Amino acid sequence: MTSAPTPMPVQEPPHGCVRCGARIPVSQAMCERCNPLGLKEPAPSQAHATVFIGIIAGVVLLAVVAKLAVSSVGPFQGSASRR
């Protein structure tokens, strides 16, 4: 009787460390060099909150620029004439 072949371990695809860019597995955020004590990694909510704040700041900046760009324009005088 033959036994079934043992499956090969599946390796996780690598990505960059958030601090130095070293290639590490996807399940980790920081490499051993950047996190030698094994401290808790940044939470996903922290990263999402940073992006959210950046988007809000961008929208506010665009609103201020738009306000300054059109603040000296107008008022226009118009009239309607009948032909």
Side-chain angles (χ1 to χ4, degrees):
M1 187 172 229
T2 61
S3 62
T6 57
M8 296 292 291
V10 178
Q11 291 183 339
E12 294 183 60
H15 74 105
C17 171
V18 295
R19 287 192 179 164
C20 69
R23 303 305 284 169
I24 56 174
V26 173
S27 62
Q28 299 175 353
M30 290 184 279
C31 65
E32 186 65 32
R33 186 176 59 226
C34 294
N35 189 12
L37 300 176
L39 301 174
K40 189 175 178 181
E41 297 175 347
S45 60
Q46 289 174 316
H48 288 96
T50 303
V51 171
F52 180 72
I53 290 170
I55 291 171
I56 295 299
V59 169
V60 168
L61 179 66
L62 284 175
V64 169
V65 169
K67 174 69 174 161
L68 293 174
V70 299
S71 64
S72 62
V73 178
F76 298 103
Q77 294 184 3
S79 62
S81 61
R82 203 173 254 199
R83 289 189 182 203

